[in-house]
Amino acid sequence: MSTPPNHFIRQIIDEDLAAGRLPAAGLRTRFPPEPNGYLHIGHAKSICLNFGLARDYGGQCNLRFDDTNPCKEEVEFVEAIARDVRWLGFDWDSRQFYASDYFERLYACAEALIGKGLAYVDDLTAEQIREYRGTLTEPGRDSPYRTRSAAENLDLFRRMRAGEFADGTRVLRAKIDMASPNINLRDPALYRIRHEHHHQTGNAWCIYPMYDFAHALSDAFEGITHSICTLEFEDHRPLYDWCVANCPVEATPHQYEFSRLTLQYAVTSKRRLTQLVADGTVSGWDDPRMPTIAGLRRRGVPPAAIREFCERIGVTKSDNAVEMEMFEACVREELDRTAPRRMAVLRPLKLTLANWPAGQVEWLTAASHPKDDTFGTRELPFTGELYIDREDFLESADKKWKRLVSGDSVRLRNAYVIRCDEVLKAPDGTITELRCHCFPDSLGVNPDGVKPRGVIHWVSASHGVPAEVRVYERLFTTAFPDREDGDFRQFVNSDSLHVFTAVVEPALAQAGAEARFQFEREGYYCRDSREPGLVFNRTVGLRDTWQRKAGSE
Ligand code: ATP
Ligand code: MG
């Protein structure tokens, strides 16, 4: 592996190490997803950063589910998240934690705050609380319940826990400063009442801690040294520090913020992705068009390509949307190295060799990778009836056309040179078959006086295997679906899936689920993991055709 690039969080850690500020146990980070959806490419940046730092500095990274809002969370998401992080190549040993593991300790911290006069039970409604909060330009006002005694607060808080009050009737609030210029410090809620079943704690609780409170303290409980999150939490940092400073915890974690990843032509928000799944725009969270880890995986993106991408985009505090080309370049580079070559004809056009002995099968040996012998070879059956791609033939063309043309010759990849002598058509003019001549001694050498225009791929008609090939276009018609006016779904590309009834070389019939290949001259493809039949998803094309379609070759 290449040496990891330096960035500001590494510099902070290096300084902490040099100053002896890290505990003996070393660096501790965590990846804290809320299990309310599947992970997306943005999360991958956070995963690679947190787990990558722990790996590079000999520390540990915990997987912690921030499960403080039972209404939107599900075990399905917990399992999917763990699966995706593992697939990305990271491991948390037995350190899979849940904020809900700490509900009792969090509750004790809340009681401690009440005891110190730093938290109070407020009876204002949610709407009143909003009104009292003030605005960016006006200070807030104190709630009339702010001056309750510690004893009264403790009694009410215990009764909140005991289930005496209905949802939304009371909250526990931190007593900080209603006039603070930082709205997050205007007595933020710490606990709310939710009579909801929780996927981890069942019906044990009817009050649930708020994210800021639970997050800061969970970090402290786990001895997290560097709590790394995205920039939108920058204004929450004073509250984070307040919780750590005022609650009975030993560790003093610090929060650092970096800019979130946004990727052009994609949305990276669980809420938006949930909408696409719910309204059937895509077939599910793992639809190969989705920028989810599960979708990218099913599409054939190797985890190493995602890790490389996350290294290349770096870690900064400045916001910018990364171009899809950059992501695809990482995918292409990885697959070029790792994907065996195969042949698949997406738009089959029959080609018969008039001079080939009837019924004869010749097995040709072809390298599985042009640059790497360790991939070995495979046997290709060559027969008198073949398929080539319809797009590789023209009745007439100038010399720039490097494929088959009527009356001229071309090399069949890994096989013979052929010449097209006759074009058969249906009454409507569609070409139904090409009658060709095969140059018998042309394996590896051009026959005397014959200069094939180029090389095209093919599959034996008798030995080829039918397969469904799914080719995906971008999911959105604009690079910034999220930033445009109105519902982002108006920018969904209604033509993002093209299905081909292809014929593929026989070796592909045995492809395992998720096996990745380069279909020569076509692109990179992956055997679909869900469909029982032989289905391949296109991962990415061979060249960058993202902004404009490539020319004729
Ligand atoms: P979303 O907006 O998609 O719902 P979230 O931030 O609410 O994302 P969490 O489950 O809370 O989702 O995220 C877990 C971690 O991943 C957090 O630390 C968060 O900062 C980080 N993260 C989420 N989205 C991105 C992104 N686009 N780029 C980098 N990190 C991200
Ligand atoms: Mg979140």
Side-chain angles (χ1 to χ4, degrees), residues 31-36 39 43 63-67 81 85 270:
F31 173 63
E34 182 179 357
N36 61 351
L39 299 179
H43 291 113
L63 176 61
R64 183 200 318 138
F65 291 97
D66 248 310
D67 55 347
I81 288 168
V85 178
K270 273 183 284 182

Side-chain angles (χ1 to χ4, degrees), residues 30-36 39-47 50 66 81 211 215 228-230 232-233 258-262 268-271 273:
R30 84 288 170 266
F31 173 63
E34 182 179 357
N36 61 351
L39 299 179
H40 52 63
I41 183 75
H43 291 113
K45 177 175 179 179
S46 177
I47 294 166
N50 280 295
D66 248 310
I81 288 168
Y211 173 84
H215 188 77
I228 302 167
C229 62
T230 36
E232 67 270 23
F233 290 103
F258 68 100
S259 61
R260 60 195 292 123
L261 165 65
T262 44
T268 45
S269 143
K270 273 183 284 182
R271 196 166 57 82
L273 295 171

Side-chain angles (χ1 to χ4, degrees), residues 86-144:
R86 212 181 297 281
W87 177 79
L88 270 178
F90 299 105
D91 186 28
W92 50 95
D93 299 317
S94 55
R95 300 181 316 281
Q96 177 163 327
F97 301 129
Y98 297 81
S100 58
D101 293 341
Y102 312 128
F103 278 174
E104 202 62 60
R105 288 170 82 181
L106 290 167
Y107 178 86
C109 286
E111 285 208 349
L113 288 177
I114 293 172
K116 291 165 131 182
L118 291 176
Y120 62 99
V121 172
D122 197 343
D123 300 359
L124 293 181
T125 63
E127 199 176 317
Q128 288 170 320
I129 289 181
R130 243 190 320 274
E131 259 169 53
Y132 275 72
R133 187 176 295 136
T135 64
L136 285 174
T137 48
E138 285 167 45
R141 282 175 292 139
D142 286 0
S143 161

Side-chain angles (χ1 to χ4, degrees), residues 171-237:
V171 287
L172 182 74
R173 298 178 71 176
K175 194 189 239 180
I176 307 180
D177 178 6
M178 287 308 291
S180 171
N182 183 341
I183 291 187
N184 293 298
L185 294 182
R186 294 185 190 168
D187 292 7
L190 301 179
Y191 266 90
R192 60 186 166 182
I193 304 173
R194 281 268 189 287
H195 289 266
E196 279 281 342
H197 181 88
H198 187 284
H199 54 101
Q200 301 299 319
T201 56
N203 295 325
W205 294 86
C206 63
I207 56 170
Y208 290 97
M210 300 300 288
Y211 173 84
D212 286 312
F213 178 69
H215 188 77
L217 294 178
S218 301
D219 281 348
F221 297 154
E222 291 177 15
I224 300 302
T225 55
H226 295 72
S227 178
I228 302 167
C229 62
T230 36
L231 272 177
E232 67 270 23
F233 290 103
E234 198 165 26
D235 290 344
H236 297 239
R237 193 185 336 129

